[in-house]
Amino acid sequence: MVVERGSRLLAGAVIVVFLALVGPSAPSGGLFARPLPIDAVGEVVPNRVMTWNMCNPCETGNVDRAAEIATYAPQVIGLQEACVRDVERIRHYLEAFYGLVYDVEYGPVLRSWGRCGGVPWSPGGYGQAVLSAAPMTDRVSVEYPDGGSEDRGYMAVTTTVGDQRVRVFITHLAHRRQETFRAAQTAVLAADVARYDRAIVLGDFNAVPDAPELAPIWALATDTDPRCRPAPTSGCAPTTDWETKFDYIFLRGFEPLDHHVRRSLVSDHHMVHSDLAPT
């Protein structure tokens, strides 16, 4: 009986350690590929870019996230609210189930056990990531002087979209009702974007198009939504479940060939993607 009790304690300890290592972001979608729609693309679209706030720690599986990405298979994908552990699983599923191979770079990340699991002395990374089907170089990661209620920043890499080398930026600005923080953040971001004649800026800006804090970005670039301009009467398609436009693909030196906002089953932000051509 002592041996049996010891075995039960050992099994319980193993389970506890496993849960601590995996954390709350463990896949819930199983280990089988989710079938894609019949109109899904079969391979990476070389001139397509996407931005998506994954809404961690939303209770969903990375198999489902990978399937949503594989349906549109962009060349470049900017992810916000992403756990490093989740992104690695998504990349694995994209390759194993759909034959889509992406490199990855991570922007400023918090160390968050509550959001991303891990163990207390080694919590998971949480923040931004860029996936690219082409190699990325010259990574720069910048933390804003003041992130507001949570540390925020941006990352920039050089990669290829279509046949053009381009500087790609990704950011996630301060939460809603923190306008003064966002204004300072866009000033920092815009100063870097302005250095490049050809740039793509992806992210969740937590601001509607006519918000004053977005003025420095609008002065340099245009959004891929042809109806979306920094005016109260513009016809921007909403990108969130609460019918607000927060997610942008800003272009400098490119023009959009099309623009799509796809409702996601696994996030309260929609997937925004566009096919681009150089100007």
Side-chain angles (χ1 to χ4, degrees):
M1 291 186 64
V2 171
V3 172
E4 182 180 351
R5 182 173 179 272
S7 299
R8 287 199 304 267
L9 290 174
L10 177 60
V14 169
I15 292 171
V16 169
V17 171
F18 174 80
L19 291 175
L21 291 171
V22 173
S25 58
S28 59
L31 295 179
F32 299 95
R34 197 179 88 187
L36 301 183
I38 58 173
D39 59 345
V41 299
E43 57 188 18
V44 168
V45 182
N47 65 330
R48 180 170 294 172
V49 297
M50 173 188 285
T51 186
W52 188 27
N53 184 320
M54 288 169 44
C55 188
N56 250 306
C58 293
E59 296 298 327
T60 189
N62 292 311
V63 169
D64 295 324
R65 290 177 173 135
E68 294 213 356
I69 291 172
T71 299
Y72 309 109
Q75 172 83 358
V76 173
I77 306 158
L79 299 175
Q80 305 92 49
E81 297 198 43
C83 290
V84 171
R85 175 179 287 108
D86 287 334
V87 174
E88 291 305 315
R89 288 170 178 153
I90 290 168
R91 288 179 65 220
H92 170 71
Y93 298 147
L94 285 168
E95 182 174 3
F97 295 153
Y98 307 111
L100 303 175
V101 179
Y102 288 97
D103 291 342
V104 65
E105 292 285 358
Y106 296 100
V109 293
L110 305 174
R111 312 307 299 179
S112 177
W113 182 86
R115 284 189 171 110
C116 297
V119 291
W121 56 90
S122 182
Y126 171 79
Q128 306 152 32
V130 171
L131 275 60
S132 176
M136 291 178 279
T137 62
D138 305 317
R139 173 188 174 274
V140 172
S141 182
V142 176
E143 186 172 327
Y144 293 126
D146 197 331
S149 59
E150 183 176 85
D151 292 343
R152 293 291 166 91
Y154 72 89
M155 178 178 67
V157 297
T158 298
T159 188
T160 302
V161 172
D163 60 355
Q164 300 293 317
R165 296 292 287 171
V166 59
R167 195 67 170 163
V168 175
F169 295 81
I170 181 172
T171 192
H172 187 187
L173 299 188
H175 289 305
R176 286 179 287 178
R177 294 181 291 278
Q178 298 187 55
E179 294 86 351
T180 56
F181 294 104
R182 291 197 298 273
Q185 292 165 5
T186 55
V188 172
L189 176 61
D192 199 355
V193 174
R195 298 170 52 216
Y196 299 90
D197 294 330
R198 199 180 302 283
I200 300 170
V201 186
L202 310 170
D204 175 0
F205 285 73
N206 271 318
V208 295
D210 62 332
E213 60 266 31
L214 294 191
I217 305 298
W218 284 115
L220 297 171
T222 58
D223 186 59
T224 55
D225 185 343
R227 300 177 300 162
C228 192
R229 296 295 179 264
T233 57
S234 64
C236 306
T239 65
T240 65
D241 285 354
W242 53 95
E243 298 299 314
T244 300
K245 164 91 171 173
F246 274 4
D247 305 273
Y248 298 82
I249 302 175
F250 284 112
L251 303 179
R252 184 171 167 86
F254 282 92
E255 62 181 1
L257 300 177
D258 59 15
H259 172 84
H260 298 279
V261 178
R262 311 288 189 179
R263 286 190 175 272
S264 170
L265 299 176
V266 297
S267 173
D268 60 358
H269 285 252
H270 309 332
M271 308 176 83
V272 181
H273 70 80
S274 182
D275 296 351
L276 310 180
T279 56

